[in-house]
Amino acid sequence: MRVTVKPTVCIGAGQCVLVAPEVFDQDDDGVARLVDEAPAHQLHPDVRLAAARCPVEAIRVVET
């Protein structure tokens, strides 16, 4: 799995950080940033849920 975040699209809702804090964080402006672009297999369900909960679809998940 590869994960990307579009910072110009992110509105800082923080759902990704709530669901997968091992993979996502927020900068001082609340914009999501990745902590881990290729998360461990056990985190994949959380990452998919975070992407699904993003209200502006700023998170992209590519299965590898």
Side-chain angles (χ1 to χ4, degrees):
M1 167 183 283
R2 287 291 217 195
V3 185
T4 59
V5 174
K6 297 177 193 172
T8 58
V9 175
C10 179
I11 61 170
Q15 293 301 305
C16 56
V17 178
L18 291 173
V19 173
E22 303 89 348
V23 179
F24 301 97
D25 196 1
Q26 288 177 291
D27 66 16
D28 292 338
D29 294 324
V31 175
R33 65 177 186 85
L34 285 173
V35 175
D36 187 355
E37 292 179 9
H41 183 71
Q42 69 267 21
L43 296 174
H44 289 192
D46 291 343
V47 173
R48 288 186 196 100
L49 180 58
R53 287 190 177 177
C54 180
V56 293
E57 299 178 357
I59 300 169
R60 181 173 180 223
V61 175
V62 177
E63 301 293 339
T64 56

